[in-house]
Amino acid sequence: MKPTQIGGRSRALVPHGPRRALLVVSGFLAAALVALTLAPAAEPASAARTITFAAYAAGQSRATAVPDSTAAREKRERGYLARNATTLDAAKGGAAAGRSVAASQLPAAPTLSRSWEGVNDTGMTPPTATGAVGTTRYVELVNQMYAIYDRTNDAPLQTGTLTTLTGDLSGASLFDPQVIWDPDTARFYYVIVNGTTNTLMFGFSTTASPNGSADWCKYDLDFGYGTDFPDYPRLGSTDDFLLVGVNAFNSASAYLGSDILWVRKPATGSPCPTAGTLLGGGVTSVLNADSTPAFTPVPAVQTDPSATGWVVAVTAELTDNELTLFQVTNSGGSANIQTTGTSVPVTSYSIPPDAPQQGTTRLLATLDNRLTQAVSGLDPARGESVIWTQHTVSGAAGSMIRLYEIDPSPVSVLYSASVGDDVEHLFNGAVSSDRRVNGSSRAFGGALGLVFNASSTTTYPSIWALAKPAFDDGSFFLVRQSSGFNQDFSCEGTETICRWGGASASADPASELAGAYGNVWFTNQWNVASSSTSDVDWRTWNGSIEIERSYGMLRVTTSPAVASQIVVDGEIMDSWGLTWVKLPVGEHTVSFTDVPGFATPADQVVNVTEGATTVVTGTFVAWGLQRILTSPAVAGTVSVDGVRRNDWGVWTYLPPGAHQVCFGSVADFAAPSCQNVNVAAGTGNGNVTGTYTSSPGAAGEAGPLGMLRVTTSPAVGSQIRVNGVPMDTWGLTWVKLAPGSYTVSFADVEGFTTPADQVVSVTDGNTTVVTGTFVQRGLLRVLTSPAVAATVYVDGVARNDWGAWTWFPTGSHTVCFDGAPGFTQPACQTINLTTAGATVTGTYTANS
């Protein structure tokens, strides 16, 4: 069948011939870089290394000179040209520097709920491995082979060739398969290139539970490419259409441009319709916002069905600082595809070098920083639908994975992170959120799973995964370690670049609702030891990443119960105490704000361990409120235990016990004798009065002395400290001090931001004035309804479980709620906190 319109490009025959070794597949937070040690779970790692999350500096402007053309790059990857490794290495970016986190601070590795070896094919390389999970089945496709599994058994229900699956038994060359699950129609869909006719084999399962090739509707759709070739198809969906992005080449292997094709979805539960009712059309040579060619358009696989779909792409230049986003809508039953996309500014990226392997000089192709897959769906923590995508770029040890969370409307990058290693090259990634959509039952979506390969001069290729719960950095673990290096007929003879690639990740539509997170299923490549330069040694591995938060519980109490604000690792948490807040395992520093009338407990460094509760008690020792007067009121300096506290008098809290109070000389008065007093805890202490008697001609204090005056603004009951010694409360009225440098600090006052310490100089005969400006905060009360043990986040920081009630600076704040087993996670709420305070409620609804 021909489409109604595909465009007006002239193309010629591409002499691919038998497709043996021609196919190649391209294949984390604010401003700091955090290094995390890889923590093997499924198998031991062959060498110690670190995985890196990074957020890099703002993107640079687009390069005016690039190493070589995309067409040349594409031809090299397809085996047509020799690889210029020197040129590519010149484009490699350096790794960012950052701070390391000790292994003791890392969360424990998560687990795989399913893990098994997939199918392989000894006649084709690389596998172009792809898979998708449905409510009852997992479907895996590799070059020329398929396998259908139920969700619980490793043995497939059926395996066979792609020609059997597609119904084309004419000996056509079929390759580049893609398969997805569509929760909207509860079907699996595939697209496969027919290299003999330059058409696309398209099909879908007749049921959510196919058992074999007979349970599929099968079509050979002709989009009018004629003798040109639609390469590297990527499959995605909308509520109404299946979308396919391709790169087009002519007979001379020249890159013609990238196209976005569309097919109508069949109705749910319908029998196999005719091809004419499905075949749509497409747009050719899609462009970036600046009218340059876009490259490798990747439609997002929807988890939450929507009439609006999205396609992401990179630019056709090898180095850039933007992605491109295309919108797809329904216009009268046909797909309306944006032909000039919208720019998505990102940190600059460039082509990654190829990955070395242990035991050989042959390298693994990491491809040309194209995006390889994308998913879209609701992120409940943000309250909107987002797009997740990733690609392999230059950085860290050589190549690393860059992933993005994109808000399509208005277009912005909500989250961007790089996953790199200081020793190993990371490449061939796939990412998905854990969004669970099964009919009207919908849950999760704030966590993600990432799968990728790693290889170096001291390690064989391996499969690693990242499980990242919402609000956490996540945990890495080894999935499968190859037993040898990869070499096959794609890199025999003088060719040094071995073809490698194929990875997929899909959200589980039937994950357990009892947990706080869902699962992500994946397929990726590994290999057995090579016995010759021409054999095919790749294998595939399937699994399900069980996304869990590796945390322990931190419980903090104050004794006696007082309104101290708890601070963990420098972040405000809650007041009075913490009720079992979930925190990542490792060391944490617990601090307490001051409470009038008490000695503040010292900071405590505690170790939060997996699955356990760490209990911290802040013991506040009561002081005694002591009032010291001069009679008559004169500017005599009151000293307690030999330390000057204030002039004229003092009214402040002192530690209980014996103290000596002395009074300084005042001109024309005889100073009173020192008094020994016993201060009791609490407020019941009697006044201490220093009685001055008239003595005309008596000398005052001899200098040199200067005056220090300290006020609080507004006037609040903060105890003033000079060089760490408590002085008076509310302020200091011209206390006489020896000339020199002094540090003035202020005790915390509930409801206010404490002023920073001030270092001041007191000089002889002069008055130094210090003002402590207290900025009023707002009382923020956060509730969960019903009351559940979910962690409350304010501005991305865990504050407490169940709820929180404490003071925050006024202004805009984002309040989010973690998942709770059995409930749908509430959306984040952004509020403007004023001094009047605010209450935010996260409403949890039971999962259906």
Side-chain angles (χ1 to χ4, degrees):
M1 297 293 295
K2 300 284 185 182
T4 55
Q5 180 67 37
I6 189 62
R9 270 198 306 239
S10 173
R11 293 169 177 157
L13 178 66
V14 179
H16 294 293
R19 187 75 165 190
R20 293 183 73 229
L22 299 183
L23 180 67
V24 160
V25 195
S26 69
F28 145 71
L29 266 180
L33 181 91
V34 181
L36 299 178
T37 301
L38 285 169
E43 297 188 34
S46 54
R49 58 252 239 227
T50 59
I51 285 290
T52 300
F53 281 98
Y56 291 89
Q60 303 168 0
S61 60
R62 180 180 297 167
T64 55
V66 295
D68 57 4
S69 69
T70 299
R73 171 78 183 191
E74 179 72 13
K75 287 187 288 185
R76 276 199 313 275
E77 296 299 344
R78 298 173 60 76
Y80 296 119
L81 296 179
R83 187 64 173 268
N84 184 343
T86 302
T87 300
L88 293 179
D89 286 344
K92 183 175 77 172
R99 90 183 150 82
S100 296
V101 178
S104 63
Q105 294 178 269
L106 298 176
T111 60
L112 296 174
S113 57
R114 294 277 286 110
S115 182
W116 76 100
E117 185 171 355
V119 293
N120 69 294
D121 175 8
T122 59
M124 178 76 73
T125 193
T128 320
T130 180
V133 64
T135 51
T136 65
R137 297 287 185 267
Y138 188 79
V139 177
E140 179 190 9
L141 305 183
V142 300
N143 272 323
Q144 298 188 330
M145 295 292 292
Y146 74 91
I148 301 173
Y149 309 86
D150 66 31
R151 288 170 54 97
T152 58
N153 293 310
D154 296 349
L157 297 170
Q158 187 183 80
T159 62
T161 64
L162 294 185
T163 55
T164 300
L165 179 66
T166 62
D168 183 358
L169 304 179
S170 61
S173 176
L174 305 183
F175 45 83
D176 274 10
Q178 289 283 285
V179 62
I180 66 172
W181 166 261
D182 177 46
D184 178 38
T185 55
R187 302 176 187 268
F188 292 95
Y189 293 85
Y190 67 72
V191 65
I192 304 169
V193 174
N194 186 330
T196 303
T197 61
N198 293 335
T199 57
L200 294 178
M201 310 303 292
F202 171 79
F204 56 87
S205 60
T206 59
T207 172
S209 305
N211 293 315
S213 61
D215 298 326
W216 297 76
C217 298
K218 309 163 185 181
Y219 307 88
D220 189 350
L221 299 183
D222 187 348
F223 286 90
Y225 282 91
T227 56
D228 294 336
F229 179 68
D231 188 34
Y232 198 71
R234 301 289 94 181
L235 181 60
S237 58
T238 77
D239 201 16
D240 306 301
F241 310 112
L242 277 303
L243 305 175
V244 183
V246 298
N247 297 324
F249 291 84
N250 68 11
S251 61
S253 300
Y255 171 64
L256 300 174
S258 297
D259 308 337
I260 302 174
L261 314 175
W262 62 276
V263 178
R264 293 181 181 88
K265 270 188 187 178
T268 301
S270 66
C272 299
T274 63
T277 64
L278 298 177
L279 184 62
V283 295
T284 62
S285 298
V286 292
L287 302 175
N288 305 308
D290 62 358
S291 298
T292 57
F295 184 57
T296 311
V298 177
V301 180
Q302 288 187 345
T303 55
D304 289 88
S306 171
T308 300
W310 303 98
V311 182
V312 289
V314 294
T315 71
E317 300 185 27
L318 302 184
T319 299
D320 217 327
N321 60 355
E322 66 177 345
L323 306 178
T324 300
L325 183 66
F326 301 90
Q327 183 185 66
V328 182
T329 57
N330 189 335
S331 178
S334 296
N336 180 28
I337 302 174
Q338 185 179 359
T339 56
T340 298
T342 302
S343 175
V344 185
V346 299
T347 302
S348 60
Y349 55 86
S350 59
I351 290 180
D354 295 312
Q357 309 177 76
Q358 177 184 351
T360 180
T361 60
R362 300 186 188 275
L363 307 176
L364 299 178
T366 60
L367 286 189
D368 50 9
N369 66 44
R370 69 183 72 184
L371 303 171
T372 58
Q373 49 83 229
V375 296
S376 69
L378 180 70
D379 181 347
R382 301 188 184 275
E384 58 186 327
S385 184
V386 301
I387 303 164
W388 282 101
T389 189
Q390 54 72 43
H391 55 167
T392 302
V393 301
S394 177
S399 61
M400 65 182 184
I401 308 296
R402 175 84 61 75
L403 54 88
Y404 309 94
E405 182 181 15
I406 300 172
D407 184 348
S409 182
V411 174
S412 64
V413 175
L414 300 172
Y415 174 89
S416 175
S418 295
V419 183
D421 187 60
D422 60 355
V423 173
E424 299 214 33
H425 290 233
L426 310 185
F427 54 99
N428 191 40
V431 66
S432 176
S433 75
D434 66 336
R435 183 66 173 162
R436 180 195 192 276
V437 176
N438 188 354
S440 61
S441 176
R442 303 184 180 192
F444 315 132
L448 66 86
L450 171 72
V451 64
F452 56 90
N453 291 119
S455 186
S456 73
T457 57
T458 58
T459 58
Y460 298 130
S462 56
I463 302 173
W464 285 81
L466 162 67
K468 182 187 179 302
F471 309 107
D472 279 1
D473 287 344
S475 303
F476 297 91
F477 58 103
L478 179 64
V479 174
R480 189 69 185 175
Q481 178 67 59
S482 296
S483 56
F485 58 80
N486 176 274
Q487 76 175 5
D488 53 37
F489 53 75
S490 73
C491 53
E492 60 187 342
T494 60
E495 175 60 58
T496 61
I497 311 300
C498 301
R499 308 305 178 223
W500 184 277
S504 64
S506 57
D508 188 344
S511 56
E512 291 292 335
L513 287 170
Y517 300 103
N519 288 7
V520 172
W521 294 57
F522 66 87
T523 295
N524 204 322
Q525 178 182 355
W526 63 295
N527 62 269
V528 296
S530 178
S531 59
S532 73
T533 60
S534 61
D535 62 345
V536 173
D537 307 304
W538 63 258
R539 299 292 185 267
T540 63
W541 199 265
N542 305 312
S544 173
I545 303 170
E546 187 172 1
I547 300 176
E548 299 174 337
R549 170 172 280 123
S550 298
Y551 62 81
M553 307 297 289
L554 177 64
R555 174 164 170 77
V556 181
T557 60
T558 56
S559 177
V562 292
S564 174
Q565 195 168 55
I566 313 304
V567 177
V568 177
D569 300 330
E571 295 286 353
I572 299 168
M573 303 294 276
D574 205 344
S575 291
W576 298 85
L578 303 180
T579 51
W580 302 280
V581 64
K582 294 185 285 289
L583 290 178
V585 300
E587 288 187 349
H588 297 275
T589 300
V590 181
S591 308
F592 303 86
T593 60
D594 305 318
V595 176
F598 292 89
T600 306
D603 294 355
Q604 300 183 48
V605 178
V606 298
N607 190 47
V608 174
T609 58
E610 174 81 16
T613 299
T614 299
V615 178
V616 175
T617 301
T619 302
F620 285 76
V621 177
W623 282 12
L625 182 60
Q626 185 66 64
R627 186 176 189 184
I628 305 172
L629 308 173
T630 58
S631 178
V634 293
T637 302
V638 176
S639 298
V640 179
D641 300 328
V643 178
R644 293 170 176 265
R645 310 289 176 148
N646 205 356
D647 284 15
W648 300 87
V650 172
W651 196 354
T652 195
Y653 288 96
L654 296 173
H659 297 278
Q660 186 182 62
V661 180
C662 296
F663 302 88
S665 299
V666 177
D668 297 324
F669 287 91
S673 300
C674 295
Q675 300 181 45
N676 294 319
V677 298
N678 190 56
V679 175
T683 60
N685 293 285
N687 294 339
V688 175
T689 303
T691 302
Y692 284 78
T693 59
S694 178
S695 179
E701 280 198 82
L705 290 170
M707 306 292 289
L708 177 63
R709 175 167 169 76
V710 181
T711 61
T712 56
S713 178
V716 292
S718 171
Q719 189 176 59
I720 314 303
R721 297 164 184 154
V722 176
N723 292 346
V725 177
M727 304 289 277
D728 204 346
T729 301
W730 298 86
L732 302 182
T733 52
W734 302 279
V735 64
K736 293 185 287 290
L737 296 174
S741 178
Y742 295 89
T743 299
V744 179
S745 54
F746 303 85
D748 305 313
V749 177
E750 186 180 22
F752 291 88
T753 298
T754 307
D757 293 356
Q758 299 182 49
V759 178
V760 299
S761 180
V762 174
T763 58
D764 184 33
N766 296 307
T767 300
T768 301
V769 179
V770 175
T771 300
T773 302
F774 286 76
V775 179
Q776 191 170 357
R777 293 180 171 184
L779 182 59
L780 177 60
R781 185 178 189 185
V782 183
L783 308 173
T784 56
S785 178
V788 294
T791 303
V792 171
Y793 292 80
V794 180
D795 301 329
V797 177
R799 309 293 178 167
N800 206 353
D801 284 15
W802 300 87
W805 198 352
T806 196
W807 302 88
F808 283 96
T810 57
S812 179
H813 296 279
T814 300
V815 181
C816 297
F817 303 85
D818 207 352
F823 291 91
T824 298
Q825 183 180 1
C828 296
Q829 302 179 47
T830 298
I831 63 162
N832 184 42
L833 183 63
T834 68
T835 56
T839 298
V840 176
T841 302
T843 302
Y844 286 77
T845 56
N847 290 327
S848 58

